[in-house]
Amino acid sequence: PRQLIWPPAWSELSEVRAQLFRNQAQAYYDAAKPREAVRALVVAYRFDPSDYATGRLLAHFYETTSPATADDFYARLMREHPARSAETARVWMRSLLARGRLEALAGLARQQIADDREYTVVWLNALIFAANHHHRPDWLEESARDAAVPAPARRLLALAAQVEQAAPGQVAGLLQPTAADAQFAYGLIYRIDQLTRRGFPEHGLTLIAKYRGAIGGRDEAGLVLAGIARTGDEARLAKEFGYMLAPGRPLSAAEFSLLGLQLIRYPNRALLNQVAAAMSRIKDEANQPQVEAL
């Protein structure tokens, strides 16, 4: 009633109407009526297009039903809410990955490598992944020439473009790090991973041993497992799995995910059975890590 009868409050009517339809959308969603929920959100956003949360929720809903519309919403949110552009881009990145839209992902990554310094390594990894998948070293070279991109990232992008175009016999030499390269942990990860993938796992394992601790944690463990798998040393691989899955040893969801990712890249039925048997040991983890692991 206040917004209807008091003229100074008339400017609030759009926001009040938008809230009405947001409430309706929530009720529809709770009643398992997603189509009706989306329609209510569309009306709410029409009344209040400045509402970031509603726009982002709409983008999420459209990812499965109308991917092009979802991308339009994410792009609009990037333009109209510049203060939250990094947050939007990170969500959009996961959406593009899930839908396999790697060319669009590469474009977003080229922009964000320069703009989102906190997430530089993530955007760098996304761009290299997309460029390798599409065999587009020119995408890497373009960003390597961008002065707004941090210098370590530019050097790595230039290297990745060279590796993509190199003859097989040149790859191992290109991927050997200098002392300066060793200061950039992701640069080491890239080199070791590429050596392993391109048929030089022993070189990769040697680098891990040489720079032990420079990478650390889950990344280093994953690289070690991949390198061992590529060498074909099944006994050593079984020993590594056996240590992580040892009875009585606490098993975290992150370690469980690491083993799962290893088995996706390098299938092994016997090790898969061991990991599956240990599944119940992460039941006390927080929900999100447990879902990722499963």
Side-chain angles (χ1 to χ4, degrees), residues 134-194:
H134 280 287
H135 306 291
R136 292 294 302 270
D138 55 305
W139 292 351
L140 304 172
E141 291 167 340
E142 180 184 336
S143 288
R145 293 190 295 268
D146 185 351
V149 174
R154 290 204 310 273
R155 290 195 296 270
L156 187 63
L157 288 165
L159 171 65
Q162 283 183 283
V163 169
E164 182 64 21
Q165 300 171 84
Q170 299 174 315
V171 169
L174 284 172
L175 289 169
Q176 295 305 309
T178 65
D181 296 328
Q183 304 304 310
F184 184 34
Y186 177 74
L188 287 174
I189 292 171
Y190 168 80
R191 285 172 167 81
I192 295 165
D193 179 63
Q194 288 297 307

Side-chain angles (χ1 to χ4, degrees), residues 251-273:
L251 181 65
S252 70
E255 291 174 317
F256 194 98
S257 294
L258 174 69
L259 298 176
L261 290 168
Q262 168 72 14
L263 291 169
I264 289 168
R265 285 181 62 185
Y266 303 101
N268 183 307
R269 174 67 65 182
L271 296 179
L272 172 62
N273 290 339

Side-chain angles (χ1 to χ4, degrees), residues 112-125:
Q112 293 302 117
I113 283 176
D115 294 345
D116 187 1
R117 294 301 180 95
E118 185 182 346
Y119 243 51
T120 293
V121 166
V122 178
W123 293 114
L124 184 57
N125 188 57

